[in-house]
Amino acid sequence: MRTPIIAGNWKMHKTVGEATEMVRKLDELVADSPVEVVICAPFTSLASLSALGLNKVKLGAQNMYFAEQGAFTGEISAAMLEDVGCEYVILGHSERREIFKEDDELINKKVLKALETGLKPILCVGETLEQRKAGETENVVVEQTTKGLAGVGAEQIRQVVIAYEPIWAIGTGETSDGNDANQVIASIRQTVAKLFSPELAQEVRIQYGGSVKPGNIKEFMDQPEIDGALVGGASLKVEDFVGIINY
Ligand code: PGA
């Protein structure tokens, strides 16, 4: 049985004070949930969130750079994230791919460095609306998954979470329907099975993301292939995010 994992991707939201106030509440409200709960906060809040001594909620970052250290102005290393108490790091989010021009090769280097450092990557894949309309969804996610996981060892793949986020569903209020997302996620799992083994593929958790809300989470969690959600907008308010976690 795969433990469901619901992660909040706060993107560029919340000051340290706002972040600590919400996560302190969240940690109490979801204390007894069987779901693994992660908050991926901006870098600036991570150390303060870690200092809260959380019981339930785990911490993640939203990006990192693959180099160990050095002259990379504005970047953050995997070891720095580990040092401030991160367990997870979102890599290859569509906003990183589109706005900051990250490609599969760069994302793969980040995935490998995260794993080497002991961080669990949440590798994001997903198609654009044009790709969907052209019937390319499966090809796109298979290619992103294959390239993103290149060089990952069989002993490391269990640490990886994959998030299927159709780009047209992010922040738009549009969602994929549960069945459709389930099918795409099944093809991602088949890709993992080919790259590693069918047994290992059964252990890898694959989330759905894109306009997940308290009112639609169940539709996704009811699907056999969907193991959780990566939640943007609805993770910013404690009552909404708790509603999602208590699906
Ligand atoms: P959304 O964002 O829930 O606001 O659509 C999801 C994401 O980008 O991870």
Short mmCIF file of all heavy atoms in Angstrom, two decimals, residues 196-246:
data_model
loop_
_atom_site.label_atom_id
_atom_site.label_comp_id
_atom_site.label_asym_id
_atom_site.label_seq_id
_atom_site.Cartn_x
_atom_site.Cartn_y
_atom_site.Cartn_z
N PHE A 196 12.62 0.81 -14.30
CA PHE A 196 13.11 0.17 -13.08
C PHE A 196 12.59 -1.26 -13.04
O PHE A 196 13.21 -2.14 -13.60
CB PHE A 196 12.73 1.01 -11.85
CG PHE A 196 13.35 2.38 -11.90
CD1 PHE A 196 12.68 3.44 -12.49
CD2 PHE A 196 14.63 2.60 -11.41
CE1 PHE A 196 13.27 4.71 -12.58
CE2 PHE A 196 15.23 3.86 -11.49
CZ PHE A 196 14.54 4.91 -12.08
N SER A 197 11.42 -1.45 -12.41
CA SER A 197 10.79 -2.78 -12.44
C SER A 197 9.32 -2.58 -12.08
O SER A 197 8.97 -1.59 -11.44
CB SER A 197 11.46 -3.72 -11.42
OG SER A 197 11.05 -3.34 -10.11
N PRO A 198 8.46 -3.54 -12.46
CA PRO A 198 7.05 -3.41 -12.12
C PRO A 198 6.84 -3.32 -10.61
O PRO A 198 5.99 -2.57 -10.14
CB PRO A 198 6.43 -4.70 -12.68
CG PRO A 198 7.37 -5.13 -13.76
CD PRO A 198 8.73 -4.70 -13.33
N GLU A 199 7.66 -4.04 -9.85
CA GLU A 199 7.52 -4.03 -8.38
C GLU A 199 7.84 -2.64 -7.84
O GLU A 199 7.11 -2.10 -7.01
CB GLU A 199 8.46 -5.06 -7.73
CG GLU A 199 8.12 -6.51 -8.00
CD GLU A 199 8.45 -6.96 -9.44
OE1 GLU A 199 9.39 -6.38 -10.05
OE2 GLU A 199 7.75 -7.86 -9.96
N LEU A 200 8.95 -2.07 -8.29
CA LEU A 200 9.33 -0.73 -7.80
C LEU A 200 8.29 0.31 -8.23
O LEU A 200 7.96 1.21 -7.48
CB LEU A 200 10.73 -0.35 -8.31
CG LEU A 200 11.87 -1.07 -7.58
CD1 LEU A 200 13.20 -0.81 -8.29
CD2 LEU A 200 11.96 -0.62 -6.12
N ALA A 201 7.76 0.15 -9.45
CA ALA A 201 6.76 1.12 -9.94
C ALA A 201 5.53 1.13 -9.04
O ALA A 201 4.88 2.16 -8.87
CB ALA A 201 6.38 0.79 -11.38
N GLN A 202 5.23 -0.03 -8.45
CA GLN A 202 4.08 -0.10 -7.54
C GLN A 202 4.32 0.67 -6.24
O GLN A 202 3.39 0.97 -5.51
CB GLN A 202 3.73 -1.56 -7.23
CG GLN A 202 3.01 -2.28 -8.35
CD GLN A 202 1.78 -1.52 -8.83
OE1 GLN A 202 0.98 -1.02 -8.03
NE2 GLN A 202 1.64 -1.37 -10.14
N GLU A 203 5.58 0.93 -5.95
CA GLU A 203 5.90 1.63 -4.69
C GLU A 203 6.01 3.14 -4.86
O GLU A 203 6.02 3.88 -3.88
CB GLU A 203 7.22 1.10 -4.13
CG GLU A 203 7.12 -0.34 -3.68
CD GLU A 203 8.42 -0.79 -3.03
OE1 GLU A 203 9.03 0.00 -2.29
OE2 GLU A 203 8.81 -1.94 -3.29
N VAL A 204 6.15 3.59 -6.10
CA VAL A 204 6.37 5.02 -6.34
C VAL A 204 5.03 5.76 -6.28
O VAL A 204 4.05 5.35 -6.91
CB VAL A 204 7.06 5.24 -7.70
CG1 VAL A 204 7.10 6.72 -8.06
CG2 VAL A 204 8.46 4.65 -7.68
N ARG A 205 5.02 6.85 -5.52
CA ARG A 205 3.77 7.60 -5.40
C ARG A 205 3.67 8.67 -6.49
O ARG A 205 4.62 9.38 -6.76
CB ARG A 205 3.69 8.22 -4.01
CG ARG A 205 3.53 7.12 -2.96
CD ARG A 205 3.57 7.64 -1.58
NE ARG A 205 4.82 8.28 -1.26
CZ ARG A 205 5.05 8.95 -0.13
NH1 ARG A 205 4.07 9.07 0.76
NH2 ARG A 205 6.21 9.49 0.10
N ILE A 206 2.50 8.72 -7.10
CA ILE A 206 2.26 9.69 -8.18
C ILE A 206 1.04 10.53 -7.82
O ILE A 206 -0.05 10.00 -7.60
CB ILE A 206 2.08 8.98 -9.54
CG1 ILE A 206 3.23 7.96 -9.78
CG2 ILE A 206 2.03 10.02 -10.66
CD1 ILE A 206 3.17 7.22 -11.10
N GLN A 207 1.27 11.83 -7.76
CA GLN A 207 0.20 12.77 -7.37
C GLN A 207 -0.45 13.38 -8.61
O GLN A 207 0.15 13.45 -9.67
CB GLN A 207 0.80 13.94 -6.58
CG GLN A 207 1.53 13.58 -5.32
CD GLN A 207 2.28 14.79 -4.76
OE1 GLN A 207 3.02 15.46 -5.46
NE2 GLN A 207 2.09 15.06 -3.48
N TYR A 208 -1.67 13.88 -8.40
CA TYR A 208 -2.29 14.75 -9.39
C TYR A 208 -2.17 16.19 -8.89
O TYR A 208 -2.27 16.44 -7.67
CB TYR A 208 -3.79 14.41 -9.59
CG TYR A 208 -4.46 15.48 -10.41
CD1 TYR A 208 -4.29 15.52 -11.79
CD2 TYR A 208 -5.19 16.50 -9.79
CE1 TYR A 208 -4.84 16.56 -12.54
CE2 TYR A 208 -5.74 17.53 -10.54
CZ TYR A 208 -5.55 17.56 -11.90
OH TYR A 208 -6.07 18.59 -12.65
N GLY A 209 -1.99 17.14 -9.78
CA GLY A 209 -2.00 18.55 -9.39
C GLY A 209 -2.64 19.39 -10.47
O GLY A 209 -2.57 19.08 -11.67
N GLY A 210 -3.26 20.49 -10.04
CA GLY A 210 -3.92 21.40 -10.99
C GLY A 210 -5.32 21.71 -10.50
O GLY A 210 -6.22 20.89 -10.66
N SER A 211 -5.48 22.87 -9.83
CA SER A 211 -6.79 23.32 -9.33
C SER A 211 -7.48 22.30 -8.41
O SER A 211 -8.70 22.17 -8.43
CB SER A 211 -7.70 23.71 -10.49
OG SER A 211 -7.16 24.81 -11.20
N VAL A 212 -6.69 21.62 -7.59
CA VAL A 212 -7.29 20.73 -6.57
C VAL A 212 -7.87 21.60 -5.46
O VAL A 212 -7.26 22.55 -4.99
CB VAL A 212 -6.23 19.75 -6.01
CG1 VAL A 212 -6.79 18.99 -4.82
CG2 VAL A 212 -5.75 18.79 -7.08
N LYS A 213 -9.10 21.24 -5.07
CA LYS A 213 -9.83 21.99 -4.05
C LYS A 213 -10.51 20.99 -3.11
O LYS A 213 -10.62 19.81 -3.45
CB LYS A 213 -10.95 22.83 -4.71
CG LYS A 213 -10.49 23.77 -5.83
CD LYS A 213 -10.05 25.10 -5.27
CE LYS A 213 -9.63 26.08 -6.35
NZ LYS A 213 -8.34 25.92 -6.96
N PRO A 214 -11.03 21.48 -1.95
CA PRO A 214 -11.75 20.54 -1.07
C PRO A 214 -12.90 19.84 -1.81
O PRO A 214 -13.18 18.68 -1.55
CB PRO A 214 -12.28 21.44 0.06
CG PRO A 214 -11.37 22.62 0.07
CD PRO A 214 -10.92 22.82 -1.35
N GLY A 215 -13.55 20.55 -2.74
CA GLY A 215 -14.70 20.00 -3.43
C GLY A 215 -14.40 18.98 -4.52
O GLY A 215 -15.30 18.28 -4.98
N ASN A 216 -13.16 18.89 -4.98
CA ASN A 216 -12.87 17.92 -6.06
C ASN A 216 -11.80 16.89 -5.69
O ASN A 216 -11.53 15.99 -6.48
CB ASN A 216 -12.51 18.64 -7.37
CG ASN A 216 -11.23 19.47 -7.27
OD1 ASN A 216 -10.40 19.25 -6.40
ND2 ASN A 216 -11.08 20.43 -8.16
N ILE A 217 -11.20 17.01 -4.51
CA ILE A 217 -10.09 16.11 -4.16
C ILE A 217 -10.52 14.64 -4.18
O ILE A 217 -9.78 13.77 -4.64
CB ILE A 217 -9.46 16.49 -2.79
CG1 ILE A 217 -8.33 15.54 -2.39
CG2 ILE A 217 -10.48 16.56 -1.66
CD1 ILE A 217 -7.06 15.69 -3.15
N LYS A 218 -11.73 14.38 -3.74
CA LYS A 218 -12.15 12.98 -3.61
C LYS A 218 -12.19 12.28 -4.98
O LYS A 218 -11.81 11.11 -5.09
CB LYS A 218 -13.52 12.91 -2.92
CG LYS A 218 -13.80 11.53 -2.37
CD LYS A 218 -14.92 11.51 -1.38
CE LYS A 218 -15.48 10.12 -1.13
NZ LYS A 218 -14.70 8.98 -1.53
N GLU A 219 -12.63 13.04 -5.97
CA GLU A 219 -12.67 12.49 -7.33
C GLU A 219 -11.30 11.94 -7.75
O GLU A 219 -11.22 10.93 -8.45
CB GLU A 219 -13.12 13.61 -8.29
CG GLU A 219 -13.06 13.21 -9.74
CD GLU A 219 -13.46 14.36 -10.68
OE1 GLU A 219 -13.96 15.40 -10.22
OE2 GLU A 219 -13.26 14.17 -11.90
N PHE A 220 -10.26 12.63 -7.31
CA PHE A 220 -8.91 12.17 -7.67
C PHE A 220 -8.43 11.05 -6.74
O PHE A 220 -7.89 10.05 -7.19
CB PHE A 220 -7.93 13.36 -7.66
CG PHE A 220 -8.30 14.39 -8.70
CD1 PHE A 220 -8.89 15.58 -8.34
CD2 PHE A 220 -8.09 14.11 -10.04
CE1 PHE A 220 -9.27 16.51 -9.30
CE2 PHE A 220 -8.46 15.04 -11.02
CZ PHE A 220 -9.05 16.23 -10.65
N MET A 221 -8.67 11.22 -5.44
CA MET A 221 -8.15 10.23 -4.49
C MET A 221 -8.87 8.88 -4.63
O MET A 221 -8.35 7.86 -4.20
CB MET A 221 -8.26 10.76 -3.05
CG MET A 221 -7.41 11.99 -2.77
SD MET A 221 -5.67 11.83 -3.25
CE MET A 221 -5.06 10.76 -1.96
N ASP A 222 -10.08 8.90 -5.21
CA ASP A 222 -10.81 7.64 -5.43
C ASP A 222 -10.19 6.80 -6.55
O ASP A 222 -10.53 5.63 -6.71
CB ASP A 222 -12.27 7.94 -5.80
CG ASP A 222 -13.12 8.25 -4.58
OD1 ASP A 222 -12.63 8.00 -3.45
OD2 ASP A 222 -14.25 8.75 -4.76
N GLN A 223 -9.32 7.39 -7.33
CA GLN A 223 -8.73 6.67 -8.47
C GLN A 223 -7.60 5.76 -7.99
O GLN A 223 -6.78 6.18 -7.16
CB GLN A 223 -8.16 7.68 -9.49
CG GLN A 223 -9.18 8.64 -10.05
CD GLN A 223 -10.19 7.95 -10.95
OE1 GLN A 223 -9.89 6.92 -11.55
NE2 GLN A 223 -11.38 8.51 -11.03
N PRO A 224 -7.53 4.55 -8.54
CA PRO A 224 -6.54 3.60 -8.03
C PRO A 224 -5.08 4.00 -8.25
O PRO A 224 -4.22 3.64 -7.46
CB PRO A 224 -6.85 2.31 -8.81
CG PRO A 224 -7.64 2.74 -9.99
CD PRO A 224 -8.39 3.97 -9.57
N GLU A 225 -4.81 4.77 -9.31
CA GLU A 225 -3.41 5.10 -9.61
C GLU A 225 -2.95 6.39 -8.93
O GLU A 225 -1.76 6.71 -8.93
CB GLU A 225 -3.21 5.25 -11.13
CG GLU A 225 -3.41 3.98 -11.93
CD GLU A 225 -2.32 2.95 -11.65
OE1 GLU A 225 -1.25 3.31 -11.13
OE2 GLU A 225 -2.55 1.78 -11.98
N ILE A 226 -3.89 7.16 -8.39
CA ILE A 226 -3.54 8.50 -7.87
C ILE A 226 -3.28 8.42 -6.36
O ILE A 226 -4.13 8.00 -5.59
CB ILE A 226 -4.66 9.52 -8.19
CG1 ILE A 226 -4.88 9.59 -9.71
CG2 ILE A 226 -4.32 10.89 -7.61
CD1 ILE A 226 -5.91 10.61 -10.18
N ASP A 227 -2.08 8.82 -5.98
CA ASP A 227 -1.63 8.63 -4.59
C ASP A 227 -1.57 9.91 -3.79
O ASP A 227 -0.97 9.94 -2.72
CB ASP A 227 -0.23 8.01 -4.60
CG ASP A 227 -0.19 6.71 -5.39
OD1 ASP A 227 -1.11 5.90 -5.23
OD2 ASP A 227 0.75 6.54 -6.19
N GLY A 228 -2.14 10.98 -4.31
CA GLY A 228 -2.09 12.22 -3.55
C GLY A 228 -2.23 13.40 -4.48
O GLY A 228 -2.58 13.26 -5.64
N ALA A 229 -1.93 14.58 -3.93
CA ALA A 229 -2.12 15.80 -4.71
C ALA A 229 -1.02 16.80 -4.41
O ALA A 229 -0.48 16.84 -3.30
CB ALA A 229 -3.48 16.41 -4.40
N LEU A 230 -0.72 17.60 -5.44
CA LEU A 230 0.16 18.76 -5.27
C LEU A 230 -0.77 19.97 -5.45
O LEU A 230 -1.38 20.14 -6.50
CB LEU A 230 1.28 18.75 -6.31
CG LEU A 230 2.33 19.86 -6.19
CD1 LEU A 230 2.98 19.90 -4.82
CD2 LEU A 230 3.42 19.70 -7.26
N VAL A 231 -0.88 20.75 -4.39
CA VAL A 231 -1.93 21.77 -4.31
C VAL A 231 -1.31 23.15 -4.24
O VAL A 231 -0.50 23.43 -3.36
CB VAL A 231 -2.79 21.53 -3.04
CG1 VAL A 231 -3.95 22.51 -3.01
CG2 VAL A 231 -3.27 20.08 -2.96
N GLY A 232 -1.70 24.02 -5.16
CA GLY A 232 -1.20 25.39 -5.14
C GLY A 232 -2.12 26.29 -4.34
O GLY A 232 -2.10 26.32 -3.11
N GLY A 233 -2.97 27.03 -5.04
CA GLY A 233 -3.83 28.05 -4.42
C GLY A 233 -4.55 27.59 -3.16
O GLY A 233 -4.58 28.32 -2.16
N ALA A 234 -5.11 26.39 -3.20
CA ALA A 234 -5.92 25.93 -2.06
C ALA A 234 -5.07 25.45 -0.88
O ALA A 234 -5.62 25.03 0.14
CB ALA A 234 -6.88 24.82 -2.52
N SER A 235 -3.75 25.56 -0.99
CA SER A 235 -2.92 25.20 0.18
C SER A 235 -2.56 26.43 1.00
O SER A 235 -1.89 26.34 2.02
CB SER A 235 -1.63 24.49 -0.27
OG SER A 235 -0.75 25.40 -0.92
N LEU A 236 -3.03 27.60 0.54
CA LEU A 236 -2.64 28.84 1.22
C LEU A 236 -3.54 29.18 2.40
O LEU A 236 -3.17 29.99 3.25
CB LEU A 236 -2.65 30.01 0.22
CG LEU A 236 -1.57 29.95 -0.87
CD1 LEU A 236 -1.86 30.98 -1.95
CD2 LEU A 236 -0.19 30.18 -0.27
N LYS A 237 -4.73 28.58 2.43
CA LYS A 237 -5.65 28.83 3.54
C LYS A 237 -5.79 27.56 4.32
O LYS A 237 -6.08 26.49 3.75
CB LYS A 237 -7.03 29.22 3.01
CG LYS A 237 -7.12 30.63 2.53
CD LYS A 237 -8.58 31.07 2.51
CE LYS A 237 -8.73 32.42 1.88
NZ LYS A 237 -9.84 32.47 0.94
N VAL A 238 -5.63 27.66 5.65
CA VAL A 238 -5.57 26.44 6.46
C VAL A 238 -6.86 25.62 6.33
O VAL A 238 -6.81 24.40 6.20
CB VAL A 238 -5.18 26.75 7.92
CG1 VAL A 238 -6.31 27.35 8.73
CG2 VAL A 238 -4.62 25.51 8.60
N GLU A 239 -8.02 26.30 6.30
CA GLU A 239 -9.26 25.51 6.26
C GLU A 239 -9.42 24.76 4.93
O GLU A 239 -9.87 23.62 4.91
CB GLU A 239 -10.52 26.31 6.63
CG GLU A 239 -10.80 27.64 6.03
CD GLU A 239 -9.89 28.82 6.34
OE1 GLU A 239 -8.87 28.74 7.06
OE2 GLU A 239 -10.22 29.88 5.81
N ASP A 240 -9.01 25.39 3.84
CA ASP A 240 -9.08 24.70 2.54
C ASP A 240 -8.12 23.51 2.50
O ASP A 240 -8.48 22.42 2.05
CB ASP A 240 -8.69 25.65 1.39
CG ASP A 240 -9.75 26.70 1.13
OD1 ASP A 240 -10.88 26.56 1.66
OD2 ASP A 240 -9.45 27.66 0.40
N PHE A 241 -6.90 23.74 2.97
CA PHE A 241 -5.91 22.67 2.87
C PHE A 241 -6.28 21.50 3.79
O PHE A 241 -6.15 20.33 3.41
CB PHE A 241 -4.51 23.22 3.19
CG PHE A 241 -3.40 22.33 2.70
CD1 PHE A 241 -3.42 21.76 1.43
CD2 PHE A 241 -2.31 22.05 3.51
CE1 PHE A 241 -2.39 20.94 0.98
CE2 PHE A 241 -1.27 21.22 3.08
CZ PHE A 241 -1.31 20.66 1.82
N VAL A 242 -6.81 21.82 4.97
CA VAL A 242 -7.27 20.76 5.87
C VAL A 242 -8.43 19.99 5.23
O VAL A 242 -8.49 18.76 5.30
CB VAL A 242 -7.67 21.33 7.26
CG1 VAL A 242 -8.41 20.30 8.10
CG2 VAL A 242 -6.43 21.83 8.00
N GLY A 243 -9.32 20.72 4.56
CA GLY A 243 -10.43 20.08 3.85
C GLY A 243 -9.94 19.10 2.80
O GLY A 243 -10.53 18.04 2.59
N ILE A 244 -8.86 19.45 2.13
CA ILE A 244 -8.28 18.55 1.12
C ILE A 244 -7.65 17.33 1.80
O ILE A 244 -7.87 16.19 1.38
CB ILE A 244 -7.26 19.34 0.26
CG1 ILE A 244 -7.99 20.34 -0.62
CG2 ILE A 244 -6.40 18.39 -0.57
CD1 ILE A 244 -7.09 21.33 -1.36
N ILE A 245 -6.91 17.58 2.87
CA ILE A 245 -6.22 16.46 3.55
C ILE A 245 -7.23 15.48 4.15
O ILE A 245 -7.01 14.27 4.17
CB ILE A 245 -5.27 17.02 4.64
CG1 ILE A 245 -4.12 17.77 3.95
CG2 ILE A 245 -4.73 15.92 5.55
CD1 ILE A 245 -3.41 18.76 4.84
N ASN A 246 -8.37 16.01 4.59
CA ASN A 246 -9.42 15.15 5.17
C ASN A 246 -10.41 14.65 4.13
O ASN A 246 -11.57 14.42 4.45
CB ASN A 246 -10.19 15.91 6.27
CG ASN A 246 -9.31 16.21 7.45
OD1 ASN A 246 -8.30 15.56 7.67
ND2 ASN A 246 -9.69 17.22 8.22
#
